[in-house]
């Protein structure tokens, strides 16, 4: 680990937990220095609904990560999700300044694509290029250096409700943190678990958390779709609580220990012990009673995901299949069930491309937080190119000054990753 490394912190504010991951970026890549995960009750279906509870969980998670990493955390890359997220197509066109496309031309055309009317209560989170057009030649992934007089771009604009973005920023700030950028959670998750090859030939990332199921599709080399479904593992838990007449906490525990998404994977003879509510005594029930409760809910989640994908018309283009992230995908039988319903190869997404304390973050529930660190690292390399990096003499390691959220320069990184 280099003493010259830059510290980047990803802050995943989820419906069930807040997770802060501290990474150090140097020439060799990203080293995980510390992790803090704390239960959070301040969100509903991916959206902040109680500032106080959220701030408390952020403070605790950051404190734990800080202790482990031995560095002071002051700036974070924060994730955002929820049904308020929308994707819109937009086009931009610009004259090429010197008959050869430069980065400045690309940024100008992307700015143009962002300049579409959106509702006053919404803001653009990301502008993700799908393809460039130089003069009459389309399907270009990287136009820099090409000759031409006219540069066009087709962009996927991701927008969010401004109040939801502001609440994420407010929570982080009230926990004493600066927010370098607010990043779409499934975009971060995809970044953590997908290889460049998978992005290129097409893949779906499906993040099934506690409150939401987020879908992100890579097709034709770029990000083609994102959407959020307000159902997740918490619905499975409440189905179990109702079906087995047991408290939510117990239902979650039973789900984690004995749960299975596919009834046919469970032996008829298997039994589990269910604690009773209040004064009722614990009782033994067949394990397939539990899977009979879980299976229809998981089926519903994957069926909605399949419908969403079909509606985009991109199903055939997801050649490398689907990658599942989020805590709920740890449930036994999820991969098999997803393959059946989605009709494509499915794997669990473990974070890739990081070193250090990887054992602490080696699960699909950490994909978002790790992806936020990777996003921040890309921003850093971009900032380096633009010589916007400053060092903080007070800190034991060099830190990154937060960039203005949604600054055009930040787009370039996502553009490069997407292509
Ligand atoms: N071993 C397990 N088996 C089954 N489910 C699990 C397991 N571990 C965690 N879960 C479930 O995963 C869910 C939490 O996942 P995750 O941590 O990805 O959610 P989150 O990021 O807090 O929420 P969201 O992304 O929806 O806002 C909970 O419903 C929890 O019950
Ligand atoms: Mg999550």
């Amino acid at each position: 680990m280099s003493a010259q490394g830059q510290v980047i912190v990803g802050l995943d504010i989820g419906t069930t937990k807040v997770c802060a991951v501290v990474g150090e970026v140097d020439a060799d890549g990203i080293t995980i220095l510390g992790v803090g995960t704390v239960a959070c009750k301040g969100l509903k279906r991916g959206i902040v609904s109680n500032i106080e509870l959220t701030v408390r969980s952020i403070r605790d998670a950051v404190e734990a990560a800080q202790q482990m990493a031995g560095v002071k955390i002051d700036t974070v890359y924060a994730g955002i999700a929820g049904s308020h997220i929308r994707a819109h197509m937009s086009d931009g066109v610009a004259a090429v300044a010197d008959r050869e496309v430069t980065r400045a031309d690309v940024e100008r055309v992307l700015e143009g694509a962002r300049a579409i009317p959106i509702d006053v209560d919404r803001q653009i989170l990301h502008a993700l290029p799908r393809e460039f057009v130089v003069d009459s030649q389309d399907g270009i992934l990287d136009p820099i250096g090409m000759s031409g007089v006219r540069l066009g771009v087709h962009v996927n604009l991701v927008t969010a409700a401004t109040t939801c973005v502001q609440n994420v920023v407010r929570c982080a700030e009230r926990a004493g943190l600066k927010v370098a950028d607010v990043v779409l959670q499934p975009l971060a998750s995809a970044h953590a678990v997908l290889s460049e090859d998978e992005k290129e030939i097409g893949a779906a990332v499906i993040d099934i958390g506690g409150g939401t199921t987020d879908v992100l599709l890579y097709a034709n080399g770029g990000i083609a779709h994102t959407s959020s479904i307000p159902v997740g593992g918490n619905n499975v838990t409440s189905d179990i609580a109702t079906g087995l007449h047991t408290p939510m906490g117990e239902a979650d525990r039973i789900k984690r220990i004995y749960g299975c998404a596919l009834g046919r994977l469970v032996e008829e003879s298997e039994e589990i012990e269910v604690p009773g509510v209040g004064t009722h005594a614990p009782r033994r029930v067949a394990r397939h009673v539990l899977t009979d409760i879980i299976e229809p809910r998981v089926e519903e989640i994957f069926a909605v995901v399949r419908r969403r994908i079909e509606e985009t018309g991109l199903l055939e283009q997801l050649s490398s299949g689907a990658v599942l992230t989020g805590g709920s995908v740890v449930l036994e039988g999820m991969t098999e069930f997803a393959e059946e319903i989605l009709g494509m190869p499915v794997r669990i997404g473990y974070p890739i491309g990081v070193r250090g304390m990887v054992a602490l973050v080696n699960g699909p529930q950490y994909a978002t937080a790790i992806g936020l660190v990777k996003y921040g690292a890309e921003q850093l390399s971009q900032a380096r190119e633009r010589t916007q990096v400053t060092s903080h003499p007070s800190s034991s390691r060099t830190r990154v000054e937060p960039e203005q959220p949604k600054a055009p320069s930040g787009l370039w990184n996502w553009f490069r990753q997407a292509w």
Side-chain angles (χ1 to χ4, degrees):
M1 187 199 330
S2 155
Q4 303 304 314
Q6 307 277 333
V7 172
I8 305 269
V9 181
L11 185 67
D12 174 13
I13 307 170
T15 309
T16 66
K17 57 128 181 18
V18 170
C19 178
V21 171
V22 183
E24 182 174 51
V25 186
D26 59 23
D28 297 330
I30 298 171
T31 304
I32 303 302
L33 301 179
V35 184
T37 304
V38 169
C40 180
K41 290 198 154 64
L43 278 78
K44 285 214 165 68
R45 306 207 177 286
I47 298 169
V48 175
S49 62
N50 183 317
I51 300 263
E52 208 45 61
L53 291 176
T54 309
V55 170
R56 214 177 295 160
S57 297
I58 293 174
R59 273 207 189 106
D60 292 350
V62 165
E63 174 62 28
Q66 198 161 253
Q67 288 274 338
M68 192 184 294
V71 293
K72 169 116 180 57
I73 296 171
D74 53 21
T75 302
V76 296
Y77 286 84
I80 192 164
S83 306
H84 61 102
I85 302 288
R86 307 240 186 291
H88 323 248
M89 291 305 293
S90 176
D91 299 331
V93 68
V96 177
D98 284 323
R99 293 189 165 261
E100 182 182 316
V101 179
T102 62
R103 183 170 295 187
D105 295 320
V106 169
E107 287 183 356
R108 213 169 52 252
V109 79
L110 287 173
E111 268 309 287
R114 291 168 71 103
I116 62 162
I118 56 169
D119 294 344
V120 285
D121 56 353
R122 301 185 66 76
Q123 69 182 74
I124 296 172
L125 217 52
H126 303 287
L128 309 163
R130 296 185 66 173
E131 68 166 346
F132 288 90
V133 183
V134 179
D135 295 341
S136 57
Q137 190 185 340
D138 59 10
I140 297 167
L141 305 183
D142 183 357
I144 290 180
M146 293 186 73
S147 296
V149 292
R150 187 173 176 274
L151 178 65
V153 68
H154 300 301
V155 163
N156 210 333
L157 283 185
V158 178
T159 66
T162 303
T163 49
C164 294
V165 179
Q166 282 172 346
N167 281 337
V168 166
V169 174
R170 185 164 299 139
C171 287
E173 287 179 350
R174 284 193 40 192
L177 303 162
K178 285 180 259 174
V179 177
D181 210 346
V182 177
V183 183
L184 182 67
Q185 283 179 15
L187 198 56
S189 301
H191 206 42
V193 301
L194 287 187
S195 67
E196 291 306 315
D197 285 350
E198 285 174 319
K199 289 179 189 171
E200 214 170 296
I201 64 173
V205 174
I206 303 164
D207 186 293
I208 311 178
T212 66
T213 295
D214 301 314
V215 180
L216 186 89
L217 306 182
Y218 277 84
N220 305 318
I223 290 160
H225 168 84
T226 182
S227 64
S228 181
I229 300 156
V231 185
N234 286 356
N235 298 85
V236 178
T237 305
S238 65
D239 290 349
I240 295 169
T242 310
L244 294 183
H245 307 288
T246 198
M248 280 292 281
E250 279 304 328
D252 194 62
R253 194 184 65 85
I254 291 169
K255 178 180 77 171
R256 289 170 192 244
I257 300 173
Y258 306 110
C260 182
L262 264 180
R264 66 175 153 76
L265 299 181
V266 168
E267 297 283 337
E268 280 295 317
S269 57
E270 283 185 67
E271 285 194 343
I272 61 170
E273 188 170 286
V274 178
V277 184
T279 54
H280 291 275
R283 71 220 132 89
R284 293 191 73 75
V285 299
R287 191 178 170 208
H288 71 77
V289 171
L290 176 63
T291 53
D292 283 353
I293 296 168
I294 296 174
E295 190 173 307
R297 180 64 82 171
V298 174
E299 184 175 13
E300 180 205 5
I301 293 174
F302 286 126
V304 176
V305 169
R306 162 124 193 164
R307 238 182 352 263
R308 285 277 167 99
I309 297 174
E310 280 172 346
E311 282 163 11
T312 66
L314 297 167
L315 190 63
E316 301 304 319
Q317 295 178 49
L318 307 172
S319 305
S320 62
V323 180
L324 305 181
T325 61
S328 298
V329 310
V330 178
L331 197 64
E332 188 186 341
M334 286 296 267
T335 314
E336 294 90 330
F337 209 177
E339 281 186 343
E340 275 179 30
I341 299 174
L342 301 176
M344 60 177 81
V346 175
R347 70 171 174 88
I348 303 283
Y350 292 89
I352 54 172
V354 289
R355 297 170 291 135
M357 297 183 172
V358 283
L360 297 176
V361 290
N362 193 23
Q365 65 273 42
Y366 295 107
T368 305
I370 295 285
L372 289 167
V373 174
K374 288 181 135 190
Y375 175 93
E378 290 288 336
Q379 295 266 307
L380 171 63
S381 87
Q382 179 64 23
R384 273 217 187 99
E385 284 172 29
R386 294 166 174 274
T387 64
Q388 284 177 349
V389 178
T390 56
S391 59
H392 290 232
S394 59
S395 163
S396 57
R397 299 171 201 268
T398 318
R399 289 190 180 283
V400 190
E401 275 298 312
E403 288 177 16
Q404 282 303 308
K406 307 325 148 284
S409 62
L411 299 174
W412 181 248
N413 292 306
W414 282 109
F415 152 68
R416 285 196 306 199
Q417 290 149 23
W419 299 89

